[in-house]
Amino acid sequence: MIFQKSSGVFVWGAVWLSLTAFLTAAPVTAQQTTAQPVTEKPPLIVATKDAPPFAMQGKDGKWTGLAVELMEEIARDLDRKVTWTGVETTKDLIDTVAAGSADAGMAAVTITSEREKFVDFSHSYYDSGLTIAVPRNQGVRVLDIFKALSSPAFLATVGTLGLLLLAIGALIWFVERRQNSDQFDDDPISGIGDGFWWSAVTMTTVGYGDKAPVTPLGRAIAVVWMFAALILTAVFTAQLATSLTVGSISGPVKGLDDLASARVGVVDGSASTAYFENRFIRVRGFSSLEAGLDALANNSIDAFVHDEPILRFTVLRDYTARFNILSQLFEPQDYGIVLPPGSELREPLNQALLDVKSSPRWQTIRSHYFGRQE
């Protein structure tokens, strides 16, 4: 009996101690849980450079542009904020990211195998290419006229016409030399010269009348040549006019094939520099796009080659009345986000980039800078 009472007291005591421990521990646990701080992800440090319309710094120091807005959207998907740091050139941007001084680099940076030796790249976010800017309304220069007169097209036309006149002149001399030696000398050199003169006068319908065939065969040849000359004159006139049009002599660069013999400007360290180096074509390098376009405006160079969207945007904004952008697009290239080698950010950033590009947000950003047709 005593044992049973002792056991009951023991059990009730254990229960009481358990309840006391639970009630006293619960507030402490809740207090500890509430006191734990929420860890906030650090901001992404992103290097950029002035490259309208992809990255532009305002007077207030704030960065705007297509690439800037895209990076902000990507960071939002990653639950991160962006801290922008400006650099001067593309090389500076690459070096900054490669050294680990920035988490990423975002501007109009072309993905190339040479740059892949120092940094990594995200997926492409914009397809681009190179294009050419040339002066508008250059006028006709003496040097351009000389080049047109010595061009292969002009020389070929004049040479063909000369050979044809010589052939007709030789034929009429051969027929007329015996019975009409007064007008067509028996001597071959002098006689063929007389025939050449007659064929040229007849073709141009000048009609001096100092030489004329007298034999029936000679006159028959003359009649055929008169009618044939009417057609040939129109053909040769059209060919000569084509080779001497204002468009042909208004400037040395009308397309990609003309760059090898022209004074071409590029931005130092850009994709256009590599394009010409690979083809062993000498070009003049400039520190910036604006410096190159100023040289083009001053006729220091004949053409300027750069990334198509940047060049077109800058010309339309600042040089509309001075330059033309040729329609030819060459050397396709892709823009990517620059990342440090082996960056852990690459996979999540690529995933966020693909998500943004497939969303209406990306179309809104693109149309803001390039219009709906883009």
Side-chain angles (χ1 to χ4, degrees), residues 52-54 126-129 307-314 335 370:
F54 292 89
Y126 193 90
D127 300 329
S128 179
D307 296 7
E308 189 271 341
I310 301 176
L311 185 59
R312 185 176 297 279
F313 181 87
T314 304
Y335 292 160
F370 295 111

Side-chain angles (χ1 to χ4, degrees), residues 97-324:
V97 176
S101 301
D103 298 312
M106 190 68 164
V109 182
T110 304
I111 302 172
T112 66
S113 59
E114 184 63 27
R115 290 170 179 169
E116 279 277 6
K117 297 177 182 178
F118 308 100
V119 294
D120 287 340
F121 283 95
S122 70
H123 295 318
S124 170
Y125 73 85
Y126 193 90
D127 300 329
S128 179
L130 300 179
T131 193
I132 308 167
V134 296
R136 176 181 291 184
N137 299 326
Q138 300 178 85
V140 179
R141 301 179 297 180
V142 175
L143 180 60
D144 296 330
I145 296 175
F146 176 77
K147 288 182 178 179
L149 293 175
S150 60
S151 65
F154 181 81
L155 294 178
T157 302
V158 173
T160 302
L161 177 59
L163 290 175
L164 180 60
L165 293 174
L166 185 62
I168 297 299
L171 178 61
I172 200 69
W173 166 78
F174 182 79
V175 173
E176 295 288 318
R177 73 187 190 285
R178 296 180 183 272
Q179 301 182 36
N180 194 9
S181 58
D182 292 339
Q183 299 184 58
F184 299 94
D185 200 305
D186 287 337
D187 179 68
I189 297 178
S190 178
I192 293 176
D194 294 334
F196 182 88
W197 171 258
W198 171 84
S199 63
V201 169
T202 303
M203 183 177 189
T204 56
T205 67
V206 173
Y208 286 127
D210 55 336
K211 298 185 183 300
V214 296
T215 65
L217 181 56
R219 290 181 175 178
I221 293 174
V223 172
V224 173
W225 175 237
M226 290 175 190
F227 285 103
L230 294 175
I231 300 174
L232 293 174
T233 298
V235 173
F236 282 113
T237 300
Q239 291 180 342
L240 290 172
T242 300
S243 62
L244 291 175
T245 55
V246 174
S248 298
I249 61 179
S250 60
V253 177
K254 297 174 287 296
L256 181 60
D257 295 338
D258 299 322
L259 295 178
S261 58
R263 300 172 300 167
V264 180
V266 298
V267 174
D268 284 325
S270 64
S272 50
T273 302
Y275 172 84
F276 290 106
E277 287 179 349
N278 294 336
R279 288 157 180 79
F280 304 101
I281 299 176
R282 294 185 61 183
V283 294
R284 180 178 171 184
F286 294 90
S287 60
S288 66
L289 174 60
E290 288 73 18
L293 291 177
D294 288 341
L296 184 63
N298 296 329
N299 293 321
S300 298
I301 55 176
D302 301 316
F304 192 84
V305 176
H306 199 63
D307 296 7
E308 189 271 341
I310 301 176
L311 185 59
R312 185 176 297 279
F313 181 87
T314 304
V315 168
L316 289 176
R317 184 188 63 181
D318 302 326
Y319 302 90
T320 303
R322 307 187 71 174
F323 303 138
N324 282 329

